[in-house]
Structures are given as structure tokens and as C-alpha cells.
Amino acid sequence: MVRILRPFTRAVTYTRWLHLAMAIVWPSLWLFIDEAWWTVGTATVLLGLAGLVPAVRVVEGLQARLLLTGHGDVGESSEIVVAPSATWGDRGRMVLWLQTRLFLGVLVSHLSLQLLFLAVDLVSTAISGERGGAWLAVEGRHWWHALLAPLPLVLAAAVVVGSGHLITRIALRLLGPSPAERLAALEERTEQLLERTRIARELHDSIGHALTVAVVQAGAARAAGDPAFTARALGAIEETGRAALEDLERVLGVLRESEKPVSGRPTLADADRLLESARASGAKVDAEVTGPVETVPGPVSREGYRILQESLTNVLRHAGAVPVHVRVDVADDTLVLAIRNPLPAGTPGSGRGSGLRGIRERAALLGGRARTGPDEGDWQVHAELPLR
């Protein structure tokens, strides 16, 4: 019983009926002013012409969102588009929507009012024998007419609830996004997911590198027992922490200003900072840079920097202070990154892991390729990124 009465406690039940009633306001005024010119055919033609106007879709979408979806129903509201008609398919659906709303509005409004009049007539004839304006004739003066009065009210309530659900379903169908708009929304959602994935990688690379260097430096300083070495280690930790904070600020800038391009992200021109950080952690880094690194396109240079950063982080994390050979070669429209280090005994040689997978994904994203894994007793990361 409570479930049956629940729709009547919601404001949207009555705003949906109002939405239908509003559709017959202009035909009613037209009929009142000039009855001779008002016909169903003329009204249909006018609605057809109105539906071809792109801006009408905006007006109808706003009305439907406001009156049909309960104001807070985000799921249904998002399925009703508030945008001008962009294609003839949109215009055709708008014409069909306007005509459907008009005829359903006429039917529901007339039926609701007549049922209310019928309930009043039943009470009136039971008391005085006089009837009002209901289309269903109620003759005579009988006391039992009053017992039938609730029946038209129940039917009117069912009409209000049922027509509200019906017009909402029709609105979601005719005022919803077109296939092109759904595809555009899907592409936008995909771009957002890709951006979130990139942000996660940025955080993994920058913060993971900083923490690895800090842990290695702190452990080395504690084991060395040399004040001078400890001072250098603390300086390296401080410098790496500052760099990580700068990277974190850049990544957070993407979240705060998602529509603006990210500027100032580190590129291969800043690779010296990575190399010095690794050297300060005890690794013996031998770097070989050939070719004009400064001419590498921004996206390729930024991803190359992250690949180099992740590779050095893996060396410090898994191999410790070992000799590392880094080669950066820019030639023949290709950027080559090669990082090679000895693989200590007992170190796992698996090519799995989120960091290594991220290196391969970064290379593939730019149309390049990357290989990671053991090679003749060494661990090697070899990436080739096209410059075009």
C-alpha cells in the first residue's frame, strides 16, 4: 500500500503532468482567439516547422530536464541533451517529440479534468440531483453515487502517474543524444581516462624515483659512518625531494586545470638532473649523448625522460650502486634510449612489473617499441621512439 502511494509524495509526479499540460497552452490560446483558423492539421504543420529550428532542441531539453527528471535525478538528466540540433536526424526527432507531446498533452489534460468533473458530478447528484460538466452523463438523484466518487479520482491519479512515466520514457528516446553525440561523449570519456592514466604514471615515476633515491641515500649514509658522506647524502635527498615536489606540482596542475595544456614538464634536456641524482645515490653512471637532443619534439622528449627516470629508479631499487651505462642517441628520425647495468646474482630477471610495463606502454603510445630484460648477464632497457 505504501509503495502504491509513494509516487504521490514526489514532486516530479506533478511536474510531469504540468509538462504535458503546458504543451496545450498555445493551442488553447489560439483556439480562444481565432477558432476558425485552428485545426489539428495546422497545428501539426506549425510544430513541424518549429522542430526544424535548431534552438528549439535547447528549449525542450531544458524543460524536460527541469520537469521530467525530478531535478536531482542525474542519471536521467544526463540522457537528455541540451544542445541545438546538429543533423537532420536531430530535427526529425524534435518534430516527432513536439507532436507527440502535444497530442499526449491534449489527451491527458482532457482526461484528467473530465475524471475530476465526474467525481464532482457524482457527489453533486447524490446531494441535490444536479450534474456539472462531465462528459459522462450522470442522471438522477441517488445516494449511492457518492460511493462511486472515489473511483474517478483513482483513475485520474493513475492517468497522472502513468502519463508521467510514459512522457519521460519518450523524452529519453527522442531528446537523448544521437549516435554522433554518444560517440563524441565516449571519445571525451576515453581521453579523460587516458589523462588519468598518464597522471598515475607521472606520480609513479617522479615520486617513486625520489623515494628510491632517498631510501638508498639514507641507507648508505647510515652504513658509511662518514660525516662528509652523510652531508652529501642529505644534500642529494634534499635535491631529489625538491625535484619530486616540482613534478608533483605539475601533475596536480593537470587536475586543477584539465582544459589547459601542461607546460614545464621535464624533458631530456633535464636528464642531467636524473644522472646526478643516480650518481649521488652511489651508482656509477656513464652517459653517452649523441645528436641534437634539444630538437626532439616535446611529447617524445617528455616520454623519453620518463623512460630514463623509470630505468634508473629500477637500477637503484633492484641492483643498488652498480655501474650503469646510459646511451641517448638522436639520429635518423629516431630517438634511442639504452640503459644497461650488471645484474647481481640472486636478482630476479623477470620482465614483469608496473614500471617496466609502463616503459613499454609509453613507447607504444608514440608508435615506438621498448625491450626490457636480461642480456648476457646484464639488465637492459632499450627503447626506440620515432621523432615524427
Side-chain angles (χ1 to χ4, degrees):
M1 186 65 180
V2 176
R3 185 176 181 180
I4 296 177
L5 298 177
R6 188 175 301 166
F8 301 100
T9 63
R10 301 175 59 196
V12 69
T13 299
Y14 308 100
T15 58
R16 287 172 176 174
W17 184 88
L18 179 62
H19 182 266
L20 284 171
M22 289 171 56
I24 67 171
V25 171
W26 70 270
S28 301
L29 292 176
W30 185 11
L31 179 64
F32 179 77
I33 294 173
D34 194 346
E35 184 177 357
W37 282 93
W38 193 96
T39 62
V40 175
T42 306
T44 303
V45 172
L46 290 178
L47 286 177
L49 295 176
L52 299 179
V53 179
V56 173
R57 192 178 186 220
V58 178
V59 177
E60 291 296 320
L62 288 173
Q63 286 189 32
R65 280 193 176 187
L66 182 64
L67 299 177
L68 297 182
T69 61
H71 311 285
D73 196 336
V74 179
E76 289 187 348
S77 293
S78 60
E79 287 295 317
I80 296 179
V81 176
V82 181
S85 299
T87 64
W88 285 106
D90 294 339
R91 296 182 178 92
R93 292 193 300 162
M94 182 51 56
V95 171
L96 182 59
W97 161 256
L98 291 175
Q99 294 177 351
T100 302
R101 183 186 173 192
L102 173 62
F103 292 120
L104 189 59
V106 170
L107 176 62
V108 171
S109 300
H110 183 72
L111 185 58
S112 300
L113 292 177
Q114 287 299 324
L115 288 173
L116 292 178
F117 290 154
L118 178 58
V120 172
D121 280 2
L122 288 172
V123 175
S124 178
T125 55
I127 297 176
S128 61
E130 298 180 358
R131 60 181 301 270
W135 56 272
L136 181 61
V138 180
E139 302 295 343
R141 181 180 180 181
H142 306 285
W143 64 268
W144 50 268
H145 283 177
L147 300 178
L148 299 177
L151 182 59
L153 296 178
V154 173
L155 293 177
V159 168
V160 171
V161 175
S163 62
H165 284 290
L166 177 60
I167 193 61
T168 302
R169 296 298 102 188
I170 296 175
L172 294 176
R173 181 69 176 178
L174 298 180
L175 300 182
S178 64
E181 289 169 332
R182 291 185 184 277
L183 180 60
L186 179 60
E187 291 177 348
E188 181 181 359
R189 176 61 177 167
T190 302
E191 290 295 330
Q192 292 175 352
L193 293 177
L194 290 176
E195 184 67 12
R196 290 183 180 182
T197 301
R198 189 184 67 78
I199 291 174
R201 288 176 178 169
E202 293 285 337
L203 289 175
H204 173 270
D205 292 345
S206 60
I207 304 303
H209 175 76
L211 291 177
T212 299
V213 170
V215 170
V216 172
Q217 288 282 5
R222 181 171 58 84
D226 183 1
F229 182 84
T230 301
R232 290 195 302 271
L234 290 176
I237 292 174
E238 180 182 5
E239 181 182 354
T240 304
R242 291 182 187 276
L245 287 176
E246 293 176 2
D247 287 343
L248 181 60
E249 184 63 28
R250 294 189 187 99
V251 173
L252 293 178
V254 176
L255 296 175
R256 287 193 292 262
E257 302 178 357
S258 58
E259 296 181 357
K260 298 182 180 180
V262 181
S263 60
R265 288 176 55 199
T267 63
L268 285 176
D270 306 309
D272 289 341
R273 186 179 70 182
L274 283 178
L275 301 178
E276 290 302 324
S277 176
R279 292 188 182 107
S281 300
K284 302 176 180 62
V285 181
D286 177 23
E288 177 186 352
V289 180
T290 57
V293 178
E294 64 279 358
T295 63
V296 176
V300 180
S301 187
R302 288 191 289 268
E303 296 303 323
Y305 176 92
R306 292 305 184 190
I307 291 175
L308 178 59
Q309 184 182 53
E310 180 62 32
S311 301
L312 293 175
T313 300
N314 287 335
V315 171
L316 295 173
R317 181 180 298 160
H318 300 295
V322 297
V324 183
H325 180 71
V326 175
R327 181 167 66 91
V328 180
D329 184 17
V330 182
D332 299 331
D333 296 332
T334 303
L335 169 66
V336 178
L337 293 170
I339 301 91
R340 193 181 190 93
N341 63 276
L343 192 61
T347 303
S350 174
R352 301 177 182 176
S354 59
L356 299 178
R357 184 170 61 250
I359 290 176
R360 293 189 288 266
E361 290 176 353
R362 286 181 185 276
L365 183 64
L366 296 174
R369 58 181 180 175
R371 301 190 305 273
T372 61
D375 180 37
E376 298 180 357
D378 293 342
W379 181 270
Q380 177 180 253
V381 174
H382 185 90
E384 297 180 4
L385 309 178
L387 300 181
R388 294 183 179 179

